[in-house]
Amino acid sequence: MANMRPHHTAAIARLRDYTPPPTTYFSLPLSRRAAVLILLYADRGGDLRVVLTMRAKTLKSYAGQAALPGGKADTVTETPFTTARREAEEEIGLPASPGGLPQPWRITHLAQLPTNLARTELGVRPCVALLAPDPAYTPPPGQPLPLAEDVLIPRLDAREVAAVFSAPLRDFLRVGRETRGQPWYEGVWIDWYATAWRMHNFYVPVESGPVVWAPERGNKGRPVVAGSSLPYRDIPQQRARGKDEGARMGAGESVPVAVGREAARLVGQEEEGGRALSAFRVFGMTARILVDCARVAYGEEPEFEHNSHFGDEELIGKLIKSGRLAAERTPGAEITREDLLAASKI
């Protein structure tokens, strides 16, 4: 972590030392278990960033929304970290096997955060990991160690992921300032979980860092590289996952890092009305998880109002006792206010 600034190095140490409270995750049936990967790395300036995705518009849940890589568990013996790493490999091509990364890069598991409750009735376990070179590695003379943004170019399953981007982790504690008239942070209290719940909205400028876009089917020409120092290189296709979501989009297609408004225009990623996408909106459970991760990492409270507790372990436990989180899931079902009020009385 030679290029990481000292306060970020201290943040990594706090995450390593963090011990989460007892979890309800393993009391959930397999159909209710999910995990996400909070993948951290040091950028060119030595600041700690987190990898995020924008989900494909064709998915059945959370379509077009910002998310952390992750998904549902496959077996009851699968650990949350294994689930998160497997899903990250399938979604963005991040190798899950120890030898899958170029030397001397490796992914180190740092911590697990308390389980969160998703509206889709899943218990979501955040798993924090660091992408960094082996500290014992010494590069050959005259060959500087490449940075993470130069080494890893994601390969996207376009049926699930429309884009991969990143944001500074510590900024999820900040109100921030406007960029091109768009605020960094907006928040509002809403009535959820039968109590007041802070809805965080962060707007990550598209031009603030490298962005990898997955083209729609038919856009299979040579990848567009805009505003990046990275050289062009072919990206092998990923295997198709056999899912029916987004059948009109190609699987395993991607373009190398394309940055900013020009990149959005060139690869055809636009908002409704034909306007070029200027910012990724990170909100809801994903935003809350990132705020909590930053709180643990930096030992600070946010500059904005927030819920003081981490995750939803107590509520999940009550829902399990009430029978609301049984093994059988109804497609499209979401936890209602009535369910939460009933659980809160247990």
Side-chain angles (χ1 to χ4, degrees):
M1 297 188 293
N3 72 312
M4 192 180 297
R5 295 185 180 184
H7 59 283
H8 297 305
T9 302
I12 295 299
R14 289 189 193 93
L15 287 166
R16 288 183 192 274
D17 293 340
Y18 176 71
T19 301
T23 183
T24 56
Y25 183 84
F26 297 104
S27 298
L28 290 165
L30 175 61
S31 61
R32 308 282 183 177
R33 298 184 191 181
V36 293
L37 183 67
I38 305 176
L39 182 63
L40 306 176
Y41 71 92
D43 65 13
R44 297 177 184 278
D47 292 322
L48 204 58
R49 298 181 74 91
V50 58
V51 175
L52 290 149
T53 70
M54 185 171 74
R55 291 169 60 83
K57 293 182 180 179
T58 50
L59 290 174
K60 294 179 180 178
S61 61
Y62 307 112
Q65 296 183 14
L68 292 158
K72 292 178 60 180
D74 270 356
T75 67
V76 292
T77 58
E78 189 175 61
T79 67
F81 263 124
T82 302
T83 299
R85 290 291 304 276
R86 173 178 52 76
E87 288 288 329
E89 181 173 47
E90 294 174 352
E91 291 178 3
I92 64 174
L94 181 72
S97 61
L101 294 170
Q103 291 295 328
W105 292 86
R106 63 183 186 179
I107 293 177
T108 304
H109 298 165
L110 299 176
Q112 293 186 28
L113 301 181
T115 305
N116 286 256
L117 177 66
R119 296 181 72 104
T120 48
E121 304 182 346
L122 294 175
V124 180
R125 188 76 166 169
C127 300
V128 190
L130 175 67
L131 169 64
D134 186 335
Y137 174 80
T138 302
Q143 295 186 19
L145 184 68
L147 297 175
E149 292 172 350
D150 292 332
V151 172
L152 293 180
I153 299 179
R155 293 176 292 121
L156 310 185
D157 183 342
R159 293 178 300 177
E160 294 197 39
V161 177
V164 175
F165 62 103
S166 67
L169 178 64
R170 198 172 192 179
D171 284 3
F172 289 99
L173 297 173
R174 303 286 181 254
V175 173
R177 63 172 184 265
E178 289 190 357
T179 301
R180 297 181 184 271
Q182 176 66 62
W184 163 255
Y185 174 81
E186 291 179 335
V188 63
W189 288 99
I190 64 173
D191 183 17
W192 175 237
Y193 291 179
T195 186
W197 196 85
R198 185 69 172 181
M199 172 66 78
H200 302 299
N201 296 273
F202 297 96
Y203 299 92
V204 181
V206 170
E207 60 194 26
S208 67
V211 180
V212 178
W213 298 95
E216 293 186 3
R217 184 178 294 279
N219 183 11
K220 296 183 179 179
R222 288 180 65 84
V224 174
V225 181
S228 173
S229 62
L230 299 182
Y232 167 82
R233 61 177 169 176
D234 291 322
I235 298 178
Q237 288 193 344
Q238 281 184 262
R239 61 181 175 85
R241 297 185 62 193
K243 293 187 176 181
D244 59 355
E245 292 98 342
R248 68 181 179 84
M249 300 184 72
E253 304 167 27
S254 64
V255 296
V257 174
V259 181
R261 294 173 182 268
E262 181 68 7
R265 182 185 67 80
L266 287 170
V267 298
Q269 302 292 334
E270 296 182 341
E271 294 179 323
E272 296 296 328
R275 294 173 295 135
L277 182 69
S278 60
F280 296 103
R281 179 188 175 215
V282 180
F283 68 104
M285 185 180 68
T286 298
R288 182 189 180 200
I289 288 173
L290 291 173
V291 169
D292 285 349
C293 182
R295 291 168 66 194
V296 172
Y298 295 101
E300 302 174 8
E301 290 302 299
E303 295 176 348
F304 41 79
E305 295 181 316
H306 66 99
N307 293 97
S308 59
H309 62 282
F310 291 79
D312 302 303
E313 297 285 8
E314 182 180 358
L315 178 58
I316 292 171
K318 290 181 177 180
L319 285 169
I320 292 173
K321 290 180 180 179
S322 71
R324 186 61 184 83
L325 297 179
E328 184 176 349
R329 295 182 64 219
T330 303
E334 292 187 355
I335 293 173
T336 66
R337 175 179 172 81
E338 289 69 28
D339 295 327
L340 296 170
L341 286 172
S344 68
K345 298 176 182 178
I346 294 179

